[in-house]
Amino acid sequence: MAEREIGKAAVGSMLLGMVQTNCYFVYKEDGRDHSRGVHYDDPTPCVFFDPADRGELIYDELANRGYKVEAIYLTHAHFDHFLGVDKLRELSGAKVYVCEKDKKYCEDPFLNLSAQFVGQSYTVKPDGYVHEGDVCEAAGFKFKVFETPGHTEGSCCYYFEDDGIVISGDTLFEGSVGRTDFPLGSAATLSRSIREKLFTLPEKTIVYPGHNDITTIGYEKKYNSFV
């Protein structure tokens, strides 16, 4: 049995949606058994990032493993990162937050790509907005908002400084970056966001991207040819 350090951040993930989006939930390791079907009267709180689809499934899976969603944050407002948000919010009671510069994407099915890729119009109504430099508090964590425009105008990353992790959405991938050929995207802006924000973080910082595998800041600074 592996030993686990109590009180440290742990990151769980689900792969959901038509374009295989990484959905993450961050919680403090408490030494509990989170196998499916193990129930606690006081479930472990978590922060959920980018509920890409099937909000009811997300809620049930987490509840069945002893987690409670305390807050929901979006890295940006493209459809493949929020289709599960309404049901997850309804079932969990958690509030939803996104960068205010993506407000127009939340409201416009063309900008959030649902009209083009899903063939239906989807929108999302956040409960609140975040901005550059904000320090968010949820599930016992404090994490900082970095606005990293380029993929969308309001793309942002969430940095857990004490735990050395960053949720990067579609800003930075392993060996790649987010697409900039969607409406209002900008390759130059995205590259600048990565260099001036993410590449200033410690090299050992673990990057949890919106698609594909996890990586580190140090690895991307050395090998990512797109930046």
Side-chain angles (χ1 to χ4, degrees):
M1 179 177 178
E3 293 185 1
R4 296 174 293 189
E5 191 168 358
I6 305 302
K8 292 294 185 179
V11 183
S13 65
M14 300 180 181
L15 191 64
L16 293 171
M18 61 183 294
V19 292
Q20 299 289 278
T21 301
N22 291 324
C23 312
Y24 299 109
F25 57 101
V26 184
Y27 60 97
K28 285 189 179 293
E29 185 60 77
D30 54 13
R32 294 181 175 186
D33 179 4
H34 284 290
S35 302
R36 184 177 177 83
V38 176
H39 297 280
Y40 296 99
D41 292 333
D42 55 339
T44 300
C46 68
V47 190
F48 203 93
F49 295 91
D50 291 349
D53 202 357
R54 305 183 69 185
E56 185 171 2
L57 171 69
I58 294 172
Y59 176 81
D60 288 344
E61 283 293 317
L62 292 177
N64 285 333
R65 297 177 185 273
Y67 299 103
K68 173 180 173 58
V69 179
E70 192 170 285
I72 302 166
Y73 286 83
L74 305 182
T75 58
H76 63 292
H78 278 157
F79 79 96
D80 57 316
H81 291 255
F82 72 67
L83 285 186
V85 75
D86 285 340
K87 181 57 71 171
L88 182 58
R89 169 168 47 188
E90 173 191 334
L91 293 171
S92 67
K95 292 185 177 181
V96 177
Y97 302 91
V98 67
C99 180
E100 190 165 20
K101 291 178 181 176
D102 259 11
K103 184 176 185 293
K104 62 172 74 73
Y105 294 78
C106 294
E107 300 169 348
D108 187 335
F110 175 74
L111 289 179
N112 68 44
L113 306 178
S114 61
Q116 301 94 303
F117 284 84
V118 186
Q120 297 183 50
S121 296
Y122 289 93
T123 59
V124 59
K125 186 176 181 180
D127 297 290
Y129 294 101
V130 298
H131 310 86
E132 171 69 25
D134 284 354
V135 177
C136 307
E137 296 187 43
F141 292 104
K142 290 184 178 181
F143 49 97
K144 189 173 183 179
V145 177
F146 290 138
E147 291 186 6
T148 52
H151 182 65
T152 68
E153 290 185 335
S155 287
C156 66
C157 300
Y158 300 98
Y159 177 46
F160 293 69
E161 182 175 6
D162 291 343
D163 300 286
I165 62 177
V166 62
I167 310 295
S168 68
D170 287 4
T171 296
L172 180 64
F173 300 143
E174 180 193 20
S176 188
V177 298
R179 289 177 61 172
T180 56
D181 56 337
F182 294 137
L184 306 182
S186 167
T189 301
L190 179 63
S191 182
R192 184 166 60 250
S193 293
I194 294 171
R195 292 196 311 270
E196 296 180 357
K197 300 288 181 64
L198 296 184
F199 279 4
T200 66
L201 300 179
E203 293 195 353
K204 64 181 180 180
T205 303
I206 302 173
V207 180
Y208 290 87
H211 303 277
N212 304 325
D213 295 330
I214 65 173
T215 183
T216 66
I217 292 297
Y219 182 91
E220 299 310 314
K221 287 175 70 173
K222 187 173 182 179
Y223 296 110
N224 195 314
S225 60
F226 288 86
V227 183

